[in-house]
Every structure is written in C-alpha cells, then in structure tokens.
Amino acid sequence: MALEMKVPSPGESITEVEIAQWLVEDGDYVEKDQAIAEVDSDKATLELPAEASGIITLKAEEGDAVAVGEVVCLIDTDAAKPEGDSGSDKEEQKEEKAEPKKEEPSKSSTPEQTQDKKTYASGSPSPAAKKTLDEKGIDAKDVKGTGRDGRITKEDAVNAQPSMGTPGTGSRGESRSKMSMLRRKVAERLVSVKNETAMLTTFNEVDMTPIFELRNKYKEDFKAKHGVGLGFMSFFTLACVRALEMYPAVNSMIDGKEMVSFDFKDISIAVSGPKGLMVPVIRNAENLSFRGVESEVKRLALRARDGQITVDEMTGGTFTITNGGVFGSMLSTPIINPPQSAILGMHNIVERPIVRDGGIAIAPIMYVALSYDHRIIDGKESVGFLVAVKEALENPEELLMDNNVLKALEL
C-alpha cells in the first residue's frame, strides 16, 4: 500500500512551503518519524517526519514551492526492510551512474547528424546558447561551458558576463544560490517596514557597572541553584517591561485606522539560528522573574539552534530586543519587527572614559538604540522610554529588584 505524504500546515495563514532539502534519496527505506526533508515557510524552517516505514518515492524536487496539503512523496508500507549492509551496492550504483557511457552514432544516423555531435562535443555553444551570446555581444571562446565535453549550454550563456577592461590576474569566480523562502520573506518584510512606517531611531548610553557588580557577586550562586546563567538579557527584558508600563504607546501597533494597545508584554528576542535570524517570543514577560526570563531565553535559543522552533513560538510579540553586540556591533539602527512599533538594539560593551562625580572614570559602556514608528510614538515617548530603560539598568537593585537582591534572584 502506498501512503501519500502531504505537506502539513506549519501554522495559521501559511498556504505554501518550499522543499529546502531532501534528507533521503528516492528509493530509500525510511523508518516512521525519521526526518525525511527540511521545508521552508515564510516564518521558519521545519523538519518533515515520515508518517510510516517503507520505501519512499519522491514527488517534488528541492527548491519546489508546494501548497499545504499537496502530496510530496509516497511511502510503500508493504515493502520489506532491506537486510544486511547495502552500502557497497549503493556505492557501485553511484559509480556506474557517475561514469558516463560513450555514445556511438546510431546506425540510422546520417553523416550530417554525426558531424553535429562532433561539433557540440568540441565546446561550441548550442543553438540556443549561441543566440543568447550573440544578443549579449559575447564571444563563445570567452565562455567556459558546463555541458558534456565542455559544451556551452543556454544557462552558461545567460550567466555569462561581458569582459570589462583588462582581465584580472586572480580568481574571479562567482556562485549563485537560491534564497530560502524564509530569507525572501524577511527581505520583503524589511523593505515594507522602510516603505510603510515613519521609522526613526533614538540613542543613549548605559553604564553597565552596577550590572557587572551584581553578576560577579551572584552569578555562581544563581547558576548553582537555577541551572541557568545570570546573563544580561534578564536585566534588559525586565527593564523594557518596566518602561513599557510607563509608556504604553511603545507596546502598541497600528491596525488599519486603529491603534491597538496591549496590557501584556510579549517580548520577541532576536537570536541567530542555523537558518538565519529567528525571533522567538517570551510570553507575558511582565510575570517573569530573573530566573524565569533566563530559563525561557535559554529554552528558546536552544530550540532555534536545533531547528525545532515552531511558527507559534515566533508569532505575536509586542516588542522586540535584538543584540548585535554579540557580533561586535558598536552602534546600529535596528529595523522594526512588523506589526510591532518599536525595537531595542543592544550593542557591545566597551570600557570608555566617562564623567562620574565630577571626575573621569573608566566604565563598561553600552550604546543602546530604540527604533520606533513615529506614526503612533511621539519623540517624547520614545526618548522617555529609552531613558527609563537606561535608569533601570544603571540602578537595577532599586528599580528592578525592589532593594532586595536575594529575593529578586530567588537565592
């Protein structure tokens, strides 16, 4: 019996996915729940598990866009599992396929047909390639063919570039690869944000000395008791929660002609995954402690790294924090994560001279940036929000811990 495997729905509003990579080959025996493919949606890359054991027949190619519910492969559930190690047989088959067979002219070939074959094998362009090269004004001898025996294919001609000036003496190769559906969607969203919002960015600087002192004093006890590190993200998340309470317009978004404000704080955290940028959401961050934030950040980051993050876990945030500092960024203007209206950018921490108590001191300084949609967030609110974040980070014991560090850290 042949089981039809259809593309499951990765999430609400997603109607199409792209076959990013087949993890098995046509004709392989697969086990139930074995990952057989990676599929890209416009929000995440997910693994497709086999629904049954059997011999698989692929019905879609890598790079194909397929609709949700469409059949992408068949699994013959009646097929017996191969016995023994068939690896050597597969290698022999691959070698046979890799070794091209010499073609001999058929007995019915005319001399002219035989001559054509010799002409193609000499490295000259095919008729379609020759037409394209002539239109582009490129000499065939300047194009390296990728077809059999060096024949110039139409694709070679389309990709060929005219020579400009004196040729370089070093390597001048180039490669092309198709952008994943996720990357294409991110690109579209970024462009739409620039075109459809009145985005501005305001900046400030934070003296990280108080946070450094707290972490140095309590991080070992915190990790020993809770199993997670006391990082910077919990301080920044809770500082943003406090500032969002003070400036609710920053925790709002535009829906048509209406402004929608939220009484909860779902904080999106931008993390780098194997498939690119992922933005999982910490739900109801206003109800979390330092331990709760750090545990959730770790959980989501591991799921993103392992490619297990789901669309639901990346949907519905009300405010975003992104940390370019982990890559060494000193300053940037982060782009709003739509449909949200604001995003906080963290950066690297560098020792810099500052004025403290009338004198010059060396302190670990971070520049922070808030990009916001000026259509619903005024300058006063945006600057006030960022100042509130700065105040909380520079005085965390009073403003984030209620003057009780041990209770706040649950030690």
Side-chain angles (χ1 to χ4, degrees), residues 43-159:
K43 294 183 178 178
T45 297
L46 306 170
E47 286 187 345
L48 186 66
E51 296 177 3
S53 301
I55 300 294
I56 192 167
T57 302
L58 307 184
K59 292 294 185 181
E61 301 288 336
E62 289 184 357
D64 284 357
V66 292
V68 170
E70 185 175 335
V71 175
V72 290
C73 65
L74 302 176
I75 299 179
D76 183 359
T77 57
D78 294 331
K81 183 176 182 179
E83 296 181 3
D85 182 10
S86 59
S88 58
D89 295 336
K90 286 188 176 182
E91 288 300 321
E92 290 176 4
Q93 292 173 6
K94 288 181 181 177
E95 288 177 5
E96 289 176 2
K97 290 179 181 178
E99 184 178 351
K101 296 181 179 179
K102 295 181 180 179
E103 294 185 1
E104 297 181 1
S106 64
K107 293 180 180 180
S108 61
S109 298
T110 64
E112 290 78 13
Q113 290 172 326
T114 303
Q115 182 62 35
D116 284 344
K117 291 179 181 178
K118 290 180 180 178
T119 301
Y120 290 160
S122 69
S124 61
S126 67
K130 184 177 186 305
K131 179 182 178 183
T132 301
L133 292 176
D134 289 343
E135 292 172 350
K136 298 172 72 171
I138 299 175
D139 195 322
K141 72 176 186 297
D142 295 328
V143 180
K144 183 178 180 180
T146 61
R148 177 170 293 181
D149 297 322
R151 179 183 179 189
I152 300 172
T153 66
K154 183 178 180 181
E155 185 177 0
D156 297 330
V158 170
N159 294 332

Side-chain angles (χ1 to χ4, degrees), residues 36-319:
I36 59 173
E38 290 183 350
V39 295
D40 282 343
S41 73
D42 58 12
K43 294 183 178 178
T45 297
L46 306 170
E47 286 187 345
L48 186 66
E51 296 177 3
S53 301
I55 300 294
I56 192 167
T57 302
L58 307 184
K59 292 294 185 181
E61 301 288 336
E62 289 184 357
D64 284 357
V66 292
V68 170
E70 185 175 335
V71 175
V72 290
C73 65
L74 302 176
I75 299 179
D76 183 359
T77 57
D78 294 331
K81 183 176 182 179
E83 296 181 3
D85 182 10
S86 59
S88 58
D89 295 336
K90 286 188 176 182
E91 288 300 321
E92 290 176 4
Q93 292 173 6
K94 288 181 181 177
E95 288 177 5
E96 289 176 2
K97 290 179 181 178
E99 184 178 351
K101 296 181 179 179
K102 295 181 180 179
E103 294 185 1
E104 297 181 1
S106 64
K107 293 180 180 180
S108 61
S109 298
T110 64
E112 290 78 13
Q113 290 172 326
T114 303
Q115 182 62 35
D116 284 344
K117 291 179 181 178
K118 290 180 180 178
T119 301
Y120 290 160
S122 69
S124 61
S126 67
K130 184 177 186 305
K131 179 182 178 183
T132 301
L133 292 176
D134 289 343
E135 292 172 350
K136 298 172 72 171
I138 299 175
D139 195 322
K141 72 176 186 297
D142 295 328
V143 180
K144 183 178 180 180
T146 61
R148 177 170 293 181
D149 297 322
R151 179 183 179 189
I152 300 172
T153 66
K154 183 178 180 181
E155 185 177 0
D156 297 330
V158 170
N159 294 332
Q161 299 294 327
S163 176
M164 300 180 65
T166 305
T169 57
S171 174
R172 296 177 60 80
E174 65 178 51
S175 62
R176 292 171 181 261
S177 59
K178 188 176 181 180
M179 293 170 64
S180 69
M181 182 177 285
L182 174 61
R183 176 56 61 185
R184 295 199 303 270
K185 187 62 177 181
V186 168
E188 291 172 7
R189 285 161 63 91
L190 295 180
V191 172
S192 69
V193 169
K194 296 290 287 184
N195 292 337
E196 298 172 10
T197 67
M199 194 178 83
L200 295 178
T201 305
T202 184
F203 304 93
N204 217 313
E205 64 179 13
V206 177
D207 181 355
M208 299 290 289
T209 302
I211 293 178
F212 269 50
E213 292 174 348
L214 284 170
R215 292 183 70 246
N216 290 337
K217 187 174 181 179
Y218 296 107
K219 64 181 180 181
E220 296 299 332
D221 293 339
F222 188 87
K223 186 169 185 178
K225 182 168 183 180
H226 303 306
V228 291
L230 180 59
F232 296 114
M233 193 55 71
S234 54
F235 288 93
F236 274 83
T237 300
L238 296 178
C240 286
V241 166
R242 174 180 177 270
L244 290 171
E245 288 280 359
M246 299 168 64
Y247 298 93
V250 183
N251 199 47
S252 305
M253 60 185 65
I254 291 178
D255 184 12
K257 296 182 179 180
E258 297 178 331
M259 174 177 169
V260 183
S261 298
F262 306 96
D263 61 1
F264 55 88
K265 284 79 180 171
D266 283 356
I267 308 298
S268 303
I269 305 292
V271 297
S272 180
K275 296 294 183 179
L277 184 69
M278 303 287 181
V279 195
V281 181
I282 300 176
R283 307 288 179 188
N284 289 104
E286 73 276 9
N287 296 331
L288 298 179
S289 62
F290 282 82
R291 175 182 62 84
V293 172
E294 292 294 351
S295 298
E296 191 66 359
V297 168
K298 180 180 179 180
R299 183 186 73 84
L300 293 170
L302 289 175
R303 287 179 61 78
R305 184 197 67 186
D306 297 339
Q308 298 176 341
I309 202 79
T310 65
V311 173
D312 289 341
E313 289 174 310
M314 295 190 292
T315 304
T318 61
F319 181 82

